[in-house]
Amino acid sequence: MWIVIGVSVPEGLALYFGPTSWYPVIWGWSLTPATARFTAGVYLSVAFGFLLSMRESEWERIRIPLAMLWSFALVALLGALFTIATAPNIVRLERPFTWVWFFLYVVSILGGMYYHLVYPRKFGARPW
């Protein structure tokens, strides 16, 4: 969760408050100001949700929000990979932050799957 928060907050703030000239530097494909702010809202709300979740002591209370995050990350990652395969000039792989985005989503998926499939079994809870 700290990895997601650590990447999502600066990225979200930069997309929300930064000038449009930053978009090609900090994002992996073309954005309009409206889509940049929408994306920033998603990133900042996920980070805020994780901060709130880290205060919980019971797995059951964060199970559904965590599933929403990692399933969103999985769908977004598959969408990006499909776009790369079918329209290779849309996602700009030469931009360093494109790889940060991929890293964030892979970490979100792996961490979420761990907490849904492995972690509950360690403590005798139901994974679903």
Side-chain angles (χ1 to χ4, degrees):
M1 285 193 224
W2 282 113
I3 293 170
V4 173
I5 292 167
V7 174
S8 295
V9 170
E11 184 79 10
L13 292 174
L15 287 171
Y16 198 85
F17 295 108
T20 58
S21 61
W22 287 4
Y23 300 166
V25 177
I26 62 172
W27 201 252
W29 51 86
S30 298
L31 293 173
T32 66
T35 56
R37 288 186 182 96
F38 176 84
T39 303
V42 171
Y43 272 57
L44 294 172
S45 63
V46 165
F48 183 68
F50 268 13
L51 284 171
L52 292 177
S53 293
M54 290 179 14
R55 297 178 56 205
E56 293 294 336
S57 60
E58 296 177 25
W59 159 249
E60 291 295 319
R61 292 186 181 183
I62 63 168
R63 182 174 53 94
I64 292 174
L66 187 59
M68 292 169 62
L69 170 74
W70 75 261
S71 62
F72 168 78
L74 178 62
V75 170
L77 183 60
L78 291 174
L81 294 173
F82 180 78
T83 302
I84 291 168
T86 59
N89 294 327
I90 292 177
V91 177
R92 308 303 301 246
L93 297 175
E94 72 276 3
R95 295 178 183 172
F97 275 91
T98 303
W99 296 101
V100 171
W101 184 88
F102 280 119
F103 172 76
L104 175 66
Y105 279 61
V106 168
V107 166
S108 297
I109 294 163
L110 294 177
M113 292 178 96
Y114 170 80
Y115 276 103
H116 273 91
L117 302 174
V118 178
Y119 181 80
R121 287 188 173 90
K122 284 184 171 182
F123 298 99
R126 292 177 300 141
W128 305 106

